[in-house]
């Protein structure tokens, strides 16, 4: 891909990631939906601390991750990109800039006034820098079986339920 061909794809990566509330990130395991902030050409995440989102396995310094961005209006896959992972050191210049952006987007923080100190002590700030990207849609569905959970699915409706519901409507 030439530089001229890559420019629209890179612009799509930046604009789609910037506007999306969630991105799907895969380290070494299954992909997880994570909230993020687009800052200085990278997606910045906070996680792995108490009260924060768990980050996927494999998001370590020097690793790569697969990022999938969904369309904000339709929810379908829009673009996918491979990211170089960088873990920011607490109180470094890059960390301070990233935390400044993240604090503005963090909803319902239980300790908003001490959020920075808590993140430095107990969480990780991770930068995902686009390395390669693709606007091609996959040939398969990419569907995966759900993770094990204690949640149950709804049971079938009782046979008499439609009759009972129709009877109520008739009385009104």
């Amino acid at each position: 891909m030439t530089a001229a061909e890559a420019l629209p794809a890179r612009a799509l990566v930046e604009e789609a990631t910037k506007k999306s509330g969630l991105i799907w990130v895969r380290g070494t395991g299954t992909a997880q939906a994570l909230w993020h902030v687009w800052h200085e050409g990278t997606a910045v995440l906070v996680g792995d601390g108490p009260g924060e989102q768990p980050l996927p396995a494999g998001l370590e310094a020097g690793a790569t991750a697969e990022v999938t961005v969904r369309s904000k209006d339709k929810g379908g896959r829009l673009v996918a990109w491979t990211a170089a992972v960088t873990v920011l050191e607490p109180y470094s210049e890059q960390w301070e800039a990233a935390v400044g952006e993240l604090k503005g987007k963090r909803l319902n923080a239980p300790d908003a006034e001490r959020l920075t100190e808590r993140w430095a002590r107990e969480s990780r700030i991770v930068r995902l820098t686009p390395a390669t990207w693709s606007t091609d849609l996959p040939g398969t569905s990419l569907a995966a079986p759900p993770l094990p959970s204690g949640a149950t699915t709804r049971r079938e409706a009782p046979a008499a339920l439609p009759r009972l519901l129709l009877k109520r409507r008739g009385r009104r």
Side-chain angles (χ1 to χ4, degrees):
M1 182 182 287
T2 66
E5 293 170 339
L7 192 57
R10 184 166 178 84
L12 177 62
V13 165
E14 182 170 343
E15 202 58 31
T17 308
K18 192 184 301 184
K19 290 187 179 207
S20 181
L22 293 174
I23 55 177
W24 289 88
V25 180
R26 178 190 320 271
T28 56
T30 59
Q32 287 179 238
L34 302 170
W35 74 273
H36 71 287
V37 171
W38 186 260
H39 177 65
E40 296 178 354
T42 64
V44 182
L45 312 167
V46 61
D48 285 348
E52 301 300 336
Q53 62 190 352
L55 298 177
L59 283 188
E60 304 298 331
T64 60
E66 294 176 32
V67 180
T68 303
V69 182
R70 64 189 178 103
S71 166
K72 188 158 177 126
D73 58 344
K74 301 291 184 187
R77 176 187 164 132
L78 187 60
V79 66
W81 45 280
T82 302
V85 178
T86 308
V87 179
L88 302 179
E89 289 296 319
Y91 299 112
S92 67
E93 187 177 323
Q94 291 179 336
W95 188 90
E96 293 282 354
V99 165
E101 291 292 318
L102 286 164
K103 277 178 68 173
K105 301 288 184 181
R106 175 64 166 92
L107 301 177
N108 304 324
D111 58 348
E113 62 280 343
R114 291 186 301 276
L115 191 60
T116 303
E117 292 83 19
R118 181 169 59 87
W119 282 350
R121 194 176 56 249
E122 302 170 347
S123 297
R124 292 190 309 145
I125 308 293
V126 177
R127 286 178 60 162
L128 303 177
T129 306
T132 62
W133 47 84
S134 170
T135 56
D136 297 334
L137 294 176
T140 62
S141 73
L142 300 178
L147 297 173
S149 169
T152 60
T153 56
R154 208 173 77 176
R155 296 182 188 160
E156 288 187 36
L161 185 60
R163 196 171 47 239
L164 292 171
L165 291 174
L166 290 174
K167 190 185 283 187
R168 281 191 195 157
R169 287 186 185 166
R171 290 182 192 172
R172 290 184 182 174

